[in-house]
Amino acid sequence: MSNIAEIFDSMEYGPAPEETSYVHSWLAEHKGGFNLFINGEFVPARDKERSFASHNPANGKKLATIASAGQEDVNDAVNAAKTAFPAWSKLSGHERARYLYALARLVQKNSRFLAVLESLDNGKPIRESRDIDIPLVARHFYHHAGWAQLQDQEFPDHEPLGVIGQVIPWNFPLLMLAWKIAPAIATGNCVVLKPAEYTSLTALYFAELCREAQLPPGVVNIITGEGDTGAMIVDHPDIAKIAFTGSTDVGRIIRKHTAGSSKKLSLELGGKSPFIVFEDADLDGAVEGLVDAIWFNQGQVCCAGSRLLVEESVADQLIEKIKHRLQSFRIGDPLDKAVDMGAIVDPIQRAQIDSIVKKGEAEGAEVWQPDIPMPENGCFYPPTLMSNLAPSNSAVQEEIFGPVLAAMSFRTLKEAVELANNTRYGLAATIWSENINRALEAASLMKAGVVWINTTNAFDAACGFGGYRESGFGREGGREGIFEYIKFRDEWRDEPAIVSAPELTATDHIDTDKIVEIDLTPKQFIGGKQKRPDWGRTIPVASHDGRNEGRVALGNRKDIRDAVEAAFKAESWAATTGHTRAQILYFIAENFSTRKDEFTRRLTALTGARKSKARAEVEATISRLFAYGAWADKYDGLAHSPPQRNVVLALNEPIGIVGIVCPDAAPLLSFISLWAPAVAMGNRCVIVPSERFPLLATDFYQILETSDMPAGVINIVTGERDVLSKTLAEHDQVDAIWYHGSEVGSRMVEELSASNLKRTWTNGGRGRDWISARTGEGREFLRRSCEVKNIWLPYGD
Amino acid sequence: MNQTNVMELGGHAAARSNSERKEIDVRNPGAQFEPDWVENVRVNLSAAERRIATLSGRRTVKKAWQAAWLLKAISFMDLTTLAGDDTEGRVRRLCAKAKQPVRTDVLHDLGIDELGVTVGAVCVYHAFVETAVDALKGTNIQVAAVSTGFPAGHAPFETRIQEIEASVKAGATEIDIVVSRRHVLTANWRALYEEVKAFREACGEAHLKSIIATGELGSITKVGKASMVCMMAGADFIKTSTGMESVNATLPVSLVMMRMIRDYHQRTGYKVGFKPAGGISNAKTALQYIALLKEELGDDWLTPKLFRFGASRLLGDIERQLEHFATGRYSAANRHPMG
């Protein structure tokens, strides 16, 4: 023990190993290989040859052999889930809550085991798996036990979806499992989940806990495998929804694969999240924030604050502080209780990190790494700071998914916001400032689903998490996350949304006694102005009995381009108050009401509807405009209650530019019913009105012109529905697209939306009861009109 | 370096070159009152708390390392008695414990008979300074006196100055002063500066530890600002608490004070010491403080010259932990001689 004297002088830390023997014993029990968890049983893959190995990245040693599910296994799992669904979904919320509660308890009772297993398999420090991942897993099951309990009261008129296919990543293996499984089964769905091939082990242990909790067989199925297994789940026809967390590239592939399948989809994808430090920040606090942002989990975090934006006045000071902090970083065995960073999950990932760093360096970046001891073996990468960066540098543009910070400076809040939003992603943003005015202004301007003020990488089951833009769509956690696993009961009707026009009769009967009416020229409505179509072409519109009712512009892709441009310029609409938007919507209703008879006549002439039915549609239109005038200042966000001293504001923000493609059914009312909620929430719209009855929309723009609606908020392009939809769906400036047309068109729109991962809402060719306020207006439409942004604001002095 | 030099240097560039300086034995002479150094202090409480919450998971010491660190903790200790019923006998007993804080057989089992671990200082009221000086003759253990109307600090200014002078004359080598909290609460930073500066002058060769009474300041940001002012005024140590407030030393408050010490060092090149006091009663907490110190200020500060614990009960727990390490059995309080 004489070395005590030496340590007394050196004051080194020394090793602090976590006990792992009991976890290794469990692994040894499965020496023959881990099986698939299907229908409550562990079963081998049908094809015994299909298996893969899992390694400990800290030392490269093999941990286990794991079965890889093939197509028949996937079928078995989906069938098990499908079979279990009727009984599981019919249980009362309280009964399901008991199961979730049991799972939460079992996670807690096995928490250290799970933490150790996670760190062995993934390479993350035991501190993180023990203090962050596993407690959040338990918290997620507790919280969602509560949603199961409250489901009937809180989500009336909604029902579960059926079988959910879930594919999760390797960076937070068990936590992502919890984020996926808890809300799905709480709301009455059954799941088939595939963990990432690098990190299957905690999922398999969780399967054992499902048995211990006596979860009915088939409610949770866990099938291990590699990429091809994931693809089999995504493509399986009996799956109602795919929930995926992973890379944006794979997200895009899934978007394309599920296009037209009527599968619901939520994607939580990559990011290049900004970390903004203003000069009035607690700089030392911000440095620790960065440690938690980019050097958490070895930087393998989708929402990692990987782009540092620091105000020029404190840039040098902050960089010095970061370097100072990194000089005391400890990197090593993830099972040591005193390391800051563990191992990178796999040598392939490490090579990927290194290649982007080298590329960025070749492009002119300065690369700094601290002079600290690195483990000699295993898969490790030092914390890295890159500076002298242009926004075009690969290290700024690409998601590195490693412990690499790209630092840039800014001069003003405006510039900080521009730099922060200058990305295809929009997952998270972090803001450090002691000035609440500045911090909240910046937060409101961030294009990101989560904004952390003076904290970072804070997560909780009660708060929604998910991205804007190409970081994916859908939210996980909180009330907003529940909607990903339920659907409105009577959304669609089995009747066509579109109708075909009758043949135009050669000429109308000519009444020589009558004075010729003045020729009317309906145009496009773009940027607040009536515009002729780009190529100067028009097409006739037939009345219900084949007479020519007039000609409308035949829009083409350039008209869509112009309309999107006009919508883009109308950005200030998003910042208007709900009250202002309400006033304009009421004013539109007022001006419309003076022209009721004209619209009634138009409806009867075009659709052949009886006058009473046409009048009912006109009256419903007025009511609908009033409804969204009413909603404009009432669709409030939430203040969530995570178990920390925090205000978490879930704000409903406009999505941006919404492409709206209208059906032919109820052509006036459906047109209004689609844009009014979008506009009420602050979006700008590019509308393709009913192809068959476009005149109702072109008649309507005169009302818009007299109702104080700012230019560019509503743009109308008439023409062939699917031709224009294609351009809209492909347009990368369009943030969402709502399509009401054919089944084929729905598929096309979903497929093409993959380019920038638009939020899509398609009818799959089905109709809708537009007259009924229950199905034709309300919260579902408003929810589709908004992104939920969760702003975390810890407080205290 | 004298005060004038610090004034002349000022500014960011100067601060860097100053930070290269290493001499521990150079006392902080203080600096001119710089309002900016105070006004620019920004502290976010939640961030400080998060740092503390994760620290014990990021840093821990086990086995021999833990034993060595606990011995170090003893060397950092200002063994303290500040009670109305203190007597000469009580103080002498405490001093005996200060000289021999751990049982010799335990030291032997740990293989460190020769290490000669003692506490850093004994801390008493003025009335017992002479007793302590006498009892500690021939050791390196410092005698610290609490002063300036401790603990409230409301005695007349002249009285407080005289109290310091009297304790120094009686042989105290360290003076733990209390600042006027009213100056902090009313943000009268210049008044605080002048007060502490006067105390420092009264101390002469004795080192000044400035107690800012963090539990009474109402705001973490004020803890940071008061720390900065005391250092500018020439404090050798900044200290959290008297031990008499309802909230005494905490890790988040200590984090903020350590960061202020780092900033001051970067600005001036002078190293100021830190002393958390009150409520640190178990070995585990002591280890957290030392880890925090090592992380935030670095190994240079791991010396009794720059770090102390103000504690009366901490030693007992450390003794038990050391015996546990030596024997493998959990220890009992009555097996260790009291102080």
Side-chain angles (χ1 to χ4, degrees), chain B residues 79-82 86 91 94-95 121-133 143-147 167 172 174 176:
Chain B
L79 201 59
T80 302
T81 184
L82 296 171
D86 285 346
V91 170
L94 194 73
C95 291
V122 165
C123 181
V124 293
Y125 273 112
H126 169 77
F128 306 101
V129 169
E130 283 180 16
T131 309
V133 168
V143 174
V146 296
S147 192
S167 292
E174 300 180 357
D176 289 24

Side-chain angles (χ1 to χ4, degrees), chain A residues 43 119 169 209 215 218 256 355 379 558 632 634 665 672:
Chain A
V43 295
S119 284
L209 298 183
L215 197 69
K256 285 182 188 157
S355 82
C379 188
K558 291 189 177 164
K634 292 178 192 64
I672 301 293

